């Protein structure tokens, strides 16, 4: 009788637990509906504020620029990041949107004290003045602060102190960002702060620059000049204006480069080197993110109750509503995001990042943020983590008050945090987790303070006691086959742990024990990368090598239902449940698929998997094409946000170019080959070989009859189109550069060509004769069809102080010749007014990439800008507003 009663009691207990879970899901659904309503109200409120504030902000900015006059021609700069700081004057904790962006500057200007000026926008992604969607350069050492918005600030670079006083009279800094009632300083990337100097204090300024430990050798190497009326100092260097020849000379890593000022072009009339080029009247807003990081990350794809799926790529977290075809973006991170976790309330999200090259601005840490308002709730672990936060998980049994994290340092540290204790959280405990790789850590959903970690040669069951100490019990495999890796885990409705391993086995570990309860051998061929527990109690496992998705019963018996992921999408990395019976699949080739086991799966997100360099814009359609080291050539549509077609060309791609008619695509590779593809059918039509070095760049003349091929063998090859539209004949070679070719531009009439090389040289050519034009001053008034050369008269102002000559990777001019964009080694996209021919040219800076930006390009209709990341493989689409 006692045994029967105990069995009956256990059944009733299980039923009660199941009912509680069902009720929790109902409550969660109601919360999610409310959150979605709040989000939409937020959009309406922000749109309303944008309309009311746009007119006043615009007129204030124009008045500021008009009133600015430069009274001195000698400006001293410093190249330190510490001098650019963003301070918040108030807390404003209750607002989910921020006030319109403002300028703030110091009103006290002295000759020796350095000053800086910031243009910032801290609203949500839907607020009026935060449409730039730029990435906040968060401080690596956060102090106690209030809840803050993560819509990123725009940075207005290169402003001198004459501008500071005028701007301060018109604009003020908005609140928001990581702030507190006492204020919080943040570091921002900049090209320097500018101090008005006089002959009496120039020595003091020089000493100040020499003592600056962050100052490095200026890229421009601007040499000093005796005449103060024609020199603009950059650190200890000077840009010189030569009045006799009407030219500007500057130094790039010690090499003098002369640019002849145009005399007939309207954009260069009354050229004055001492004037400041104003920032552009238009800005950028992150519109769409292409790509996903599934190649080397796990458990990073979830369905939110609001209808959005959440995942990450580069330094951007994407919230994508598939039905509405809309995206929102969390941009609080400063380097590669490596992990993601959802709070039990399904509204809060935790994301962890790795360390960047500069630990001051890209320290590994965790951010906890609200998925509705995109406001950051806490920044955890700055200064504690050493390498990368590869796994995070909220506690489940206590409503998510704790957070566990794995630091992929040499010690493989596990730490537990009370994340909601202040703005930086409170560390409960920390200990060494394993000598080998740890691939995951999860709190037990039913047993309080129980944590399971998995990885190479182990599964460990941890207990967090009342004193904050962690105790570990290793999983016991007994005589069964011990895998090299335990690769994934999940939990049944009754609290049992289910794991998959590198041998294709699935193991059930009884609740509260470290012993095997059931062992199912060879469910998959090769590793099992993901196991998903469905709402009905069944499980789905995803195999890496065999590409199979297998439905398992509650007792782990195969359910007879399977499906298969096609190899060109990659192996299964993540399986998660979407809406209803829908499944979401993340793959190792950075794709996300949606569907079910019966009907199959279709891609909703596609991306590249290796370093991305090639980018070209269709000349008359809202499309662009990309090519990378993964050998993929992909044509994208900016309106449908989808891949039109994708082709593996069996060659690593360095550059791509559309012919002016848009019918053919030219592709340069790493082996000296370049190919011609039909842009509609993607068929390979012809291919050519010029040497064995990398084809660095390809440029077609405006009429499409000539093509210039820039190679890393220091040669430019000139081809002429034949009677067959897709075939070309080589008519000659342009030799004269002493280093590899980087950039090429054709003149509007196709009569001239200019080129940049790796040793900072600019040369001009007659492509029909394949001869160099040595008298470059005679070409000062030539109009160029493009502005891809980073070293030219039009790009004097894009080079930051203290930078290396390779820091700027790409330059592009808008078709209407009003804007210029650059991409650099620090993952930043900058927007300038074209031409940026003044040494002091103001710009807006935008983040989102976590690697060097390899290419930027404007669409043919000036509505959008496309940027590609190198190692982060992300493609970002920016709206021009």
């Amino acid at each position: 009788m006692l045994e029967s009663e105990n069995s009956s009691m256990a059944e009733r207990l299980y039923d009660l637990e199941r009912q509680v879970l069902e009720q929790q899901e109902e409550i969660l659904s109601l919360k999610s509906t409310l959150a979605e309503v709040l989000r939409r109200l937020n959009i309406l409120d922000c749109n309303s504020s944008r309309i009311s504030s746009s007119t006043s902000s615009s007129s204030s900015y124009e008045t500021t620029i008009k009133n600015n006059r430069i009274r001195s021609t000698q400006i001293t700069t410093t190249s330190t990041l510490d001098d650019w700081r963003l301070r918040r004057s108030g807390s404003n904790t209750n607002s989910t949107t921020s006030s319109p962006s403002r300028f703030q500057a110091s009103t006290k200007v002295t000759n020796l004290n350095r000053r800086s000026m910031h243009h910032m926008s801290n609203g949500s992604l839907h607020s009026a003045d935060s449409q730039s969607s730029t990435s906040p350069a968060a401080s690596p050492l956060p102090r106690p602060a209030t809840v803050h918005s993560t819509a990123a600030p725009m940075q207005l670079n290169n402003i001198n102190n004459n501008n500071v006083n005028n701007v301060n009279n018109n604009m003020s800094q908005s609140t928001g960002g990581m702030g507190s009632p006492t204020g919080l300083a943040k570091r921002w990337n900049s090209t320097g702060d500018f101090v008005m100097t006089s002959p009496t204090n120039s020595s003091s300024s020089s000493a100040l620059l020499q003592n600056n430990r962050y100052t490095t050798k200026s890229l421009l190497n601007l040499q000093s000049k005796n005449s103060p009326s024609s020199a603009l100092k950059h650190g200890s260097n000077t840009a010189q204006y030569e009045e006799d020849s009407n030219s500007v000379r500057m130094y790039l890593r010690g090499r003098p480069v002369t640019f002849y000022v145009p005399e007939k072009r309207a954009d260069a009339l009354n050229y004055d080197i001492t004037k400041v080029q104003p920032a552009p009247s238009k800005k950028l807003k992150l519109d769409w993110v292409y790509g996903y990081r599934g190649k080397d990350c796990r458990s990073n794809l979830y369905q939110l109750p609001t209808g959005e799926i959440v995942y990450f790529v580069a330094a951007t977290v994407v919230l994508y509503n598939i039905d509405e075809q809309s995206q929102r973006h969390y941009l609080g991170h400063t380097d590669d995001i490596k992990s993601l976790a959802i709070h039990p309330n399904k509204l809060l999200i935790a994301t962890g990042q790795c360390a960047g090259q500069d630990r001051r601005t890209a320290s590994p840490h965790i951010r906890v943020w609200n998925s509705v308002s995109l406001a950051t709730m806490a920044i955890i672990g700055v200064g504690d983590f050493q390498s990368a936060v590869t796994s995070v998980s909220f506690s489940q049994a206590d409503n998510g008050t704790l957070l566990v994290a794995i630091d992929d340092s040499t010690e493989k540290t596990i730490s537990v945090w009370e994340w909601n204790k202040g703005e930086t959280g409170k560390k409960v405990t920390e200990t060494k987790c394993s000598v080998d790789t740890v691939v995951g850590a999860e709190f037990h959903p039913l047993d309080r303070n129980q944590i399971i970690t998995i990885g190479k040669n182990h599964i460990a069951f941890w207990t967090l006691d009342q004193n904050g100490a962690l105790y570990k019990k290793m999983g016991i495999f007994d005589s069964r086959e011990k895998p090299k890796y335990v690769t994934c885990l999940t939990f049944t409705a009754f609290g049992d742990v289910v794991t998959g391993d590198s041998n294709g086995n699935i193991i059930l570990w009884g609740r509260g024990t470290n012993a095997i309860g059931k062992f199912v051998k060879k469910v998959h061929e090769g590793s099992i990368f993901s196991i998903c527990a469905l709402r009905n109690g069944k499980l789905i496992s995803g195999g890496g090598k065999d590409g199979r998705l297998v439905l398992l019963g509650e007792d782990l018996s195969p359910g007879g239902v399977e499906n298969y992921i096609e190899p060109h999408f990659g192996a299964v990395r993540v399986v998660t449940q979407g809406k209803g019976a829908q499944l979401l699949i993340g793959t190792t080739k950075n794709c996300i698929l949606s569907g079910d086991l019966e009907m199959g799966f279709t891609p909703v997100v596609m991306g590249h998997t290796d370093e991305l360099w090639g980018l070209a814009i269709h000349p008359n359609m809202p499309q662009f094409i990309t090519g990378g080291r993964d050998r993929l050539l992909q044509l994208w549509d900016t309106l449908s946000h989808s891949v039109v077609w994708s082709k593996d060309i069996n060659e690593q791609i360095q550059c791509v170019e559309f012919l002016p008619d848009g019918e053919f695509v030219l592709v340069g590779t790493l082996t000296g080959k370049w190919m011609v593809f039909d842009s509609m059918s993607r068929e390979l039509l012809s291919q050519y070989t010029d040497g064995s070095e990398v084809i660095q760049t390809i440029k077609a003349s405006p009429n499409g009859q000539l093509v210039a091929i820039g190679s890393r063998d220091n040669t430019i090859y000139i081809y002429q189109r034949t009677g067959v539209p897709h075939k070309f004949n080589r008519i000659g070679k342009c030799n004269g550069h002493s280093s590899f070719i980087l950039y090429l531009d054709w003149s509007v009439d196709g009569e001239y060509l200019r080129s940049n090389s790796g040793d900072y040289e600019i040369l001009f050519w007659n492509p029909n004769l394949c001869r160099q034009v040595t008298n470059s001053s005679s070409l000062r008034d030539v109009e160029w069809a493009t502005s891809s050369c980073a070293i030219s008269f039009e790009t004097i102002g894009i080079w930051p102080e203290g930078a290396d000559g390779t820091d700027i990777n790409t330059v592009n001019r808008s078709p209407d010749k009003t804007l210029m964009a650059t991409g650099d080694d620090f993952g930043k996209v900058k927007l300038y007014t074209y031409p940026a021919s003044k040494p002091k040219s103001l710009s807006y800076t935008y983040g989102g990439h976590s690697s060097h930006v390899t290419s930027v390009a404007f669409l043919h209709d000036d509505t959008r800008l496309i940027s590609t990341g190198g190692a982060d493989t992300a493609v970002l689409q920016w709206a021009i507003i």
Side-chain angles (χ1 to χ4, degrees), residues 485-545:
Y485 278 91
V486 179
T487 51
C488 58
L489 71 92
T490 190
F491 301 91
T492 68
F494 305 117
D496 297 327
V497 180
V498 180
T499 62
D501 60 40
S502 55
N503 295 331
N505 305 324
I506 293 180
I507 302 174
L508 183 143
W509 308 79
R511 178 178 176 180
T513 71
N514 62 335
I516 295 176
K518 188 167 186 178
F519 188 94
V520 183
K521 193 172 183 179
K522 298 297 181 182
V523 178
H524 290 271
E525 180 183 352
S527 296
I528 301 174
F529 283 141
S530 183
I531 299 177
C532 176
L534 303 179
R535 299 184 187 98
N536 60 11
K538 296 182 178 181
L539 304 173
I540 290 183
S541 62
K545 186 176 180 179

Side-chain angles (χ1 to χ4, degrees), residues 129-149:
D129 283 38
S130 65
Q131 295 186 31
S132 62
S133 295
T134 56
S135 176
S139 169
L141 298 173
R143 298 173 177 82
T146 59
V147 174
H148 58 283
S149 170

Side-chain angles (χ1 to χ4, degrees), residues 221-290:
N221 259 341
L222 305 177
Q223 302 300 314
S224 60
K225 184 180 179 183
N226 295 331
S227 173
S229 62
S230 60
L232 189 62
K233 287 189 176 180
H234 296 247
S236 60
N237 305 305
T238 304
Q240 301 174 348
Y241 173 70
E242 302 291 345
E243 187 174 356
D244 294 340
S245 59
N246 193 19
S247 63
V248 177
R249 172 176 290 188
M250 69 179 188
Y251 289 80
L252 296 178
R253 295 189 64 125
R255 179 169 191 152
V257 183
T258 299
F259 304 111
Y260 291 95
V261 179
E263 296 176 345
K264 298 179 182 179
R265 281 165 39 186
D267 58 18
L269 294 178
N270 302 319
Y271 179 76
D272 187 347
I273 195 174
T274 63
K275 287 187 176 180
V276 175
Q277 180 78 20
S281 59
K282 296 182 179 180
K283 303 168 187 174
L284 300 180
K285 173 189 174 183
L286 186 56
D287 177 44
W288 203 266
V289 175
Y290 302 93

Side-chain angles (χ1 to χ4, degrees), residues 627-678:
R629 303 293 168 81
D630 56 2
R631 307 180 304 182
L632 284 181
L633 186 66
Q634 298 194 126
L635 181 67
W636 308 78
D637 186 88
T638 61
L639 300 181
S640 64
H641 308 120
S642 61
V643 174
V644 179
W645 55 256
S646 179
K647 182 180 181 67
D648 188 335
I649 70 168
N650 296 317
E651 290 277 355
Q652 291 184 312
I653 300 170
Q654 177 66 27
C655 58
V656 292
E657 171 78 349
F658 273 104
L659 288 182
D661 55 15
E663 295 182 4
F664 304 104
V665 179
L666 311 181
V667 179
T669 71
L670 269 63
T671 59
K673 291 181 182 178
W674 64 277
M675 308 174 183
V676 182
F677 290 88
D678 188 294

Side-chain angles (χ1 to χ4, degrees), residues 655 737 740:
C655 58
H737 278 292
F740 54 90

